[in-house]
Amino acid sequence: MAGNSFGVLFRITTWGESHGKAVGVTIDGCPAGIGLDEEDIQKELNRRRPGLFPGASPRREADKVEILSGIFEGKTTGTPLALVVANVDIDSGPYEEIREVFRPGQGDFTYHRKYGIRDHRGGGRASARETLSRVAAGAVAGKILAPLGIEIIGFSRAIGDVEIPEEALEQLSTERVGANYLSCPHEETAKKMEEALARAREAGDTLGGVVEIRVRGCPPGLGEPVFDKIDADFAGALMGIGSVKGVEVGSGFAASRLRGSQANDQMSAQGFISNHAGGILAGITNGEEIVLRVACKPIPSIARPQRTRDTGGREVDLTLGGRHDVCALPRIVPVCEAMVKLVLADHLLRQRALAWQ
């Protein structure tokens, strides 16, 4: 299986399956001399742990990370970092009934057709548990960004048809995002989201949602002008997350309904007057706030009867058991943040390499 690595200079390779012994990541290209310990990583992993709030998978995992290499006396050495998290609360029994059945909306069918074999236990490599490795790597990338004053804020913009009013985002902060378990910076909207999730759960169904990520303090000049545009790399990084079906930058699709006189970010002596471009022009950061939105489809594992087929081509009526989330949000928020951090750290190191030439 190819496609398990990401990045150019700051490069990660994730490994492991949902019901295997462990999941983890190897990071190559991390600069030496960065202060790093397991707690730096653990606090980010805790944000995506299962079983911590209503509607989340009841799977109980401590997600305790262990650094196996690349650290000496509390600092990175420049050699590969190896991070591992053991899988503890594994219950593969409910998945035996789908050993030969393709779950609608999942990667079962495509994995089977591509490889001729698949791990049916919790989705195997296609499970959202793989994203733990990305969050761990993103925590390391964040240690590169923080001293430069780069701040990444992700939050639940919408769940189902409940969305935060635009005016409520004027006072966006990490404190407001962290005020409730849904990572929604608007309390009234958070309550409506909670009610929508409860209704979906009672109906044996699931919901989709929108994550928004904002990057503050990013310097201008990151990104390449043609094939390695930083907005293209953001889009690829975020689209590479399971459940993600769309990415917007700045005004996104709404820009297609504007005139040039409306969409152009004019400039004054003090800087840009607006930010329809979302902090990126011609594939290169312009120093303004980077604005990204991520559309997540509903979790496909639902407790309602569905029509499908098995490996022999026979039609099957399927009702799923097992432990599943009602919505990818808010657990996917730190995953989106992590992928943005990885792109930024990689491009920052590329820009430094260019300056050293």
Side-chain angles (χ1 to χ4, degrees):
M1 177 188 285
N4 298 292
S5 300
F6 179 82
V8 178
L9 293 187
F10 191 91
R11 187 167 179 81
I12 72 166
T13 300
T14 73
W15 54 268
E17 296 80 35
S18 178
H19 288 214
K21 291 185 177 181
V23 292
V25 61
T26 300
I27 304 171
D28 197 13
C30 181
I34 296 174
L36 181 69
D37 59 31
E38 289 166 351
E39 183 55 34
D40 293 323
I41 302 167
Q42 192 65 54
K43 64 183 180 182
E44 292 300 314
L45 293 180
N46 289 345
R47 296 174 58 207
R48 69 151 301 283
R49 279 175 55 197
L52 294 183
F53 45 80
S57 165
R59 180 170 175 173
R60 297 291 178 179
E61 294 282 358
D63 287 351
K64 185 171 176 57
V65 67
E66 183 180 3
I67 302 176
L68 300 182
S69 66
I71 296 289
F72 180 68
E73 295 182 342
K75 292 187 177 181
T76 58
T77 62
T79 59
L81 284 159
L83 314 178
V84 63
V85 173
N87 292 329
V88 178
D89 185 19
I90 299 172
D91 182 10
S92 301
Y95 294 95
E96 280 305 306
E97 65 182 62
I98 61 163
R99 178 183 284 270
E100 304 297 334
V101 177
F102 300 131
R103 295 169 298 171
Q106 303 274 9
D108 298 347
F109 175 76
T110 51
Y111 266 58
H112 182 77
R113 291 300 299 267
K114 183 174 180 66
Y115 301 108
I117 186 173
R118 67 181 175 91
D119 185 348
H120 66 284
R121 305 166 305 166
R125 184 75 175 140
S127 168
R129 186 139 183 85
E130 181 274 337
T131 64
L132 181 155
S133 304
R134 306 183 193 209
V135 174
V140 178
K143 297 287 285 185
I144 298 173
L145 305 176
L148 302 176
I150 300 175
E151 180 186 24
I152 295 89
I153 303 176
F155 59 94
S156 297
R157 175 75 187 244
I159 290 180
D161 60 0
V162 181
E163 184 170 2
I164 300 173
E166 187 66 37
E167 60 272 16
L169 297 175
E170 294 177 0
Q171 302 297 322
L172 181 66
S173 66
T174 54
E175 291 75 21
R176 287 178 179 266
V177 172
N180 56 73
Y181 74 85
L182 287 175
S183 296
C184 174
H186 186 237
E187 284 298 324
E188 183 179 342
T189 303
K191 292 177 182 177
K192 293 179 180 178
M193 289 177 172
E194 190 172 3
E195 293 167 358
L197 289 170
R199 289 193 297 270
R201 183 168 59 251
E202 290 171 4
D205 220 330
T206 58
L207 294 176
V210 176
V211 175
E212 183 160 310
I213 309 101
R214 299 196 181 187
V215 182
R216 296 169 174 171
C218 181
L222 300 186
E224 308 300 333
V226 186
F227 291 115
D228 287 337
K229 297 177 185 289
I230 197 167
D231 44 358
D233 283 357
F234 281 138
L238 293 165
M239 284 293 294
I241 303 171
S243 294
V244 173
K245 302 301 289 184
V247 176
E248 285 188 331
V249 181
S251 293
F253 279 91
S256 67
R257 298 189 292 272
L258 300 177
R259 296 186 178 188
S261 57
Q262 298 171 307
N264 288 345
D265 295 317
Q266 300 183 55
M267 301 180 70
S268 69
Q270 288 71 43
F272 290 93
I273 298 172
S274 60
N275 191 25
H276 293 291
I280 301 169
L281 289 169
I284 301 170
T285 57
N286 64 9
E288 291 294 294
E289 182 177 65
I290 297 172
V291 181
L292 307 165
R293 280 176 294 278
V294 180
C296 304
K297 70 175 184 177
I299 298 290
S301 297
I302 62 175
R304 303 179 69 171
Q306 299 181 86
R307 184 178 175 185
T308 185
R309 53 171 282 192
D310 63 17
T311 55
R314 295 174 292 271
E315 290 191 6
V316 177
D317 290 326
L318 175 67
T319 301
L320 285 171
R323 301 172 294 183
H324 312 288
D325 293 297
V326 176
C327 182
L329 285 69
R331 293 181 60 208
I332 203 171
V333 172
V335 182
C336 294
E337 289 180 357
M339 295 310 297
V340 169
K341 290 175 186 177
L342 291 171
V343 172
L344 288 168
D346 190 34
H347 274 278
L348 185 66
L349 293 176
R350 288 197 238 178
Q351 187 68 7
R352 287 181 176 178
L354 180 65
W356 290 334
Q357 292 179 0

